[in-house]
Tab-separated table of all heavy atoms in Angstrom:
chain	number	residue	atom	x	y	z
H	150	THR	N	5.983	3.265	2.003
H	150	THR	CA	4.598	3.078	2.452
H	150	THR	C	4.054	1.707	2.048
H	150	THR	O	3.122	1.214	2.677
H	150	THR	CB	3.677	4.204	1.941
H	150	THR	OG1	3.798	4.288	0.519
H	150	THR	CG2	4.064	5.535	2.541
H	151	ASN	N	4.637	1.064	1.026
H	151	ASN	CA	4.251	-0.324	0.710
H	151	ASN	C	4.306	-1.211	1.945
H	151	ASN	O	3.548	-2.171	2.056
H	151	ASN	CB	5.211	-0.940	-0.323
H	151	ASN	CG	4.913	-0.504	-1.758
H	151	ASN	OD1	3.850	0.029	-2.048
H	151	ASN	ND2	5.868	-0.732	-2.651
H	152	TYR	N	5.215	-0.896	2.871
H	152	TYR	CA	5.412	-1.752	4.048
H	152	TYR	C	5.001	-1.008	5.314
H	152	TYR	O	5.495	-1.287	6.405
H	152	TYR	CB	6.868	-2.264	4.062
H	152	TYR	CG	7.159	-2.833	2.701
H	152	TYR	CD1	7.870	-2.101	1.745
H	152	TYR	CD2	6.587	-4.037	2.315
H	152	TYR	CE1	8.021	-2.584	0.459
H	152	TYR	CE2	6.729	-4.525	1.023
H	152	TYR	CZ	7.449	-3.796	0.103
H	152	TYR	OH	7.568	-4.259	-1.192
H	153	ASP	N	4.099	-0.036	5.120
H	153	ASP	CA	3.517	0.727	6.225
H	153	ASP	C	4.548	1.525	7.005
H	153	ASP	O	4.321	1.877	8.170
H	153	ASP	CB	2.707	-0.199	7.154
H	153	ASP	CG	1.561	-0.874	6.418
H	153	ASP	OD1	0.890	-0.178	5.627
H	153	ASP	OD2	1.355	-2.084	6.595
H	154	GLY	N	5.684	1.811	6.372
H	154	GLY	CA	6.649	2.720	6.956
H	154	GLY	C	6.224	4.165	6.736
H	154	GLY	O	5.281	4.450	5.995
H	155	VAL	N	6.920	5.087	7.416
H	155	VAL	CA	6.610	6.516	7.313
H	155	VAL	C	7.816	7.222	6.688
H	155	VAL	O	8.937	7.088	7.181
H	155	VAL	CB	6.325	7.103	8.714
H	155	VAL	CG1	6.098	8.610	8.628
H	155	VAL	CG2	5.134	6.395	9.347
H	156	LEU	N	7.584	7.934	5.596
H	156	LEU	CA	8.663	8.671	4.949
H	156	LEU	C	8.843	10.018	5.646
H	156	LEU	O	7.887	10.781	5.793
H	156	LEU	CB	8.344	8.895	3.471
H	156	LEU	CG	9.530	9.349	2.622
H	156	LEU	CD1	10.413	8.145	2.272
H	156	LEU	CD2	9.057	10.028	1.344
H	157	VAL	N	10.059	10.303	6.086
H	157	VAL	CA	10.383	11.572	6.742
H	157	VAL	C	11.344	12.318	5.822
H	157	VAL	O	12.392	11.784	5.453
H	157	VAL	CB	11.050	11.312	8.115
H	157	VAL	CG1	11.524	12.618	8.733
H	157	VAL	CG2	10.075	10.590	9.041
H	158	THR	N	10.971	13.535	5.430
H	158	THR	CA	11.803	14.225	4.446
H	158	THR	C	12.574	15.379	5.079
H	158	THR	O	12.026	16.155	5.864
H	158	THR	CB	10.941	14.774	3.286
H	158	THR	OG1	10.066	15.788	3.802
H	158	THR	CG2	10.109	13.681	2.665
H	159	VAL	N	13.832	15.464	4.715
H	159	VAL	CA	14.688	16.575	5.135
H	159	VAL	C	14.636	17.616	4.008
H	159	VAL	O	14.856	17.269	2.851
H	159	VAL	CB	16.136	16.093	5.347
H	159	VAL	CG1	17.044	17.252	5.739
H	159	VAL	CG2	16.181	14.984	6.382
H	160	PRO	N	14.328	18.881	4.349
H	160	PRO	CA	14.191	19.889	3.281
H	160	PRO	C	15.509	20.088	2.534
H	160	PRO	O	16.582	19.828	3.072
H	160	PRO	CB	13.769	21.154	4.038
H	160	PRO	CG	14.068	20.912	5.460
H	160	PRO	CD	14.080	19.441	5.678
H	161	PRO	N	15.420	20.561	1.307
H	161	PRO	CA	16.629	20.670	0.483
H	161	PRO	C	17.552	21.788	0.950
H	161	PRO	O	17.103	22.805	1.470
H	161	PRO	CB	16.075	20.994	-0.905
H	161	PRO	CG	14.734	21.603	-0.661
H	161	PRO	CD	14.206	20.972	0.587
Side-chain angles (χ1 to χ4, degrees):
Chain H
T150 55
N151 281 345
Y152 310 100
D153 299 317
V155 176
L156 194 79
V157 174
T158 65
V159 178

